[in-house]
Amino acid sequence: MMKIGVLVSGGGTNLQAIIDAIHAGTIHNTSIEFVISNNKKAYALERAKKAGIEAKCISPKDFSNREAFNEAFLEAIDSYHVDLIVLAGCLLILPPALVKKYRNRIINIHPSLIPAFCGKGYYGLTVHEKALERGVKVTGATVHFVDEGTDTGPIILQKAVEVQQGDSPEVLQRRVMEQAEWKIMPQAIELIAQGKVQVVDGKVKILP
């Protein structure tokens, strides 16, 4: 059984997609041990509680300095002994020690086809606003491992989504979530749970 922890900051739609996929049996031999948010008001915490998953908020605002928060955050995650950490709409800058300790064991979903529209400042609705400003015809989502950079880790899965004439950022965001994010995040977790994902020379190799 692969144990995972999910980090969130907002509504938790990707978290819900993971919960639903586990219940539907499309993600096998996997359990969600915890959901942690840096935002007390994140609806994702309610989604977790409704699913019977332990949920808590650990916010930098509750600590005297970032170093104290980083230490407490890492200690909390370590206590669950998970195999994989999933960033599902998590806007928190992870403690460097966490990234180092869980090398190739943290995955993130980004709402674009990396390396397009990614990096510092590109998150949430902003990604889709920038894509529409550039007039792109195809966008999508990417699941990747997390490293010390921003959206620079090895890519696991990507799925393209067509941009339609007259799209607003909100409409495009919803289409990318429905057609890409909610599909490839559970797929990536399933591949990892089945031992089919390897990182070789900084690139992901998916085994048959």
Side-chain angles (χ1 to χ4, degrees):
M1 179 72 71
M2 182 175 75
K3 297 180 179 181
I4 69 173
V6 184
L7 304 183
V8 297
S9 293
T13 55
N14 277 298
L15 168 64
Q16 191 65 55
I18 297 166
I19 293 171
D20 292 346
I22 290 174
H23 288 169
T26 51
I27 297 177
H28 299 86
N29 301 318
T30 299
S31 65
I32 302 176
E33 300 298 302
F34 70 81
V35 172
I36 294 178
S37 175
N38 62 308
N39 175 13
K40 291 181 175 66
K41 297 181 179 179
Y43 184 66
L45 294 173
E46 295 303 315
R47 292 182 188 272
K49 292 174 183 177
K50 288 178 181 178
I53 301 166
E54 184 173 344
K56 64 174 67 175
C57 174
I58 304 177
S59 172
K61 297 178 181 179
D62 296 330
F63 294 84
S64 58
N65 55 60
R66 193 70 182 208
E67 183 177 331
F69 164 76
N70 286 349
E71 184 176 337
F73 195 74
L74 178 57
E75 182 178 336
I77 291 177
D78 281 346
S79 70
Y80 290 97
H81 305 289
V82 295
D83 304 296
L84 181 71
I85 299 170
V86 178
L87 276 56
C90 177
L91 303 181
L92 178 72
I93 297 176
L94 299 182
L98 177 67
V99 176
K100 182 178 180 180
K101 186 169 186 177
Y102 289 83
R103 176 78 58 192
N104 294 333
R105 293 169 58 199
I106 307 175
I107 64 173
N108 179 53
I109 184 82
H110 183 76
S112 79
L113 296 174
I114 293 174
F117 305 106
C118 66
K120 187 176 180 179
Y122 284 90
Y123 58 88
L125 201 60
T126 303
V127 176
H128 306 294
E129 291 172 345
K130 296 297 184 182
L132 291 174
E133 286 175 6
R134 290 296 305 273
V136 300
K137 307 307 178 188
V138 176
T139 185
T142 303
V143 179
H144 64 94
F145 284 111
V146 173
D147 62 9
E148 285 77 7
T150 304
D151 305 323
T152 56
I155 292 170
I156 304 169
L157 292 175
Q158 293 184 302
K159 184 173 176 56
V161 174
E162 182 180 354
V163 179
Q164 298 179 9
Q165 189 170 337
D167 274 347
S168 66
E170 292 80 8
V171 168
L172 182 57
Q173 180 184 49
R174 184 72 185 185
R175 188 180 307 119
V176 169
M177 287 193 296
E178 291 177 347
Q179 295 184 10
E181 293 182 40
W182 299 347
K183 296 182 183 297
I184 63 174
M185 178 61 95
Q187 288 174 6
I189 294 171
E190 168 67 2
L191 287 170
I192 294 170
Q194 298 303 317
K196 294 185 177 182
V197 176
Q198 293 183 350
V199 179
V200 181
D201 297 328
K203 295 180 180 180
V204 167
K205 179 180 179 181
I206 298 178
L207 304 178

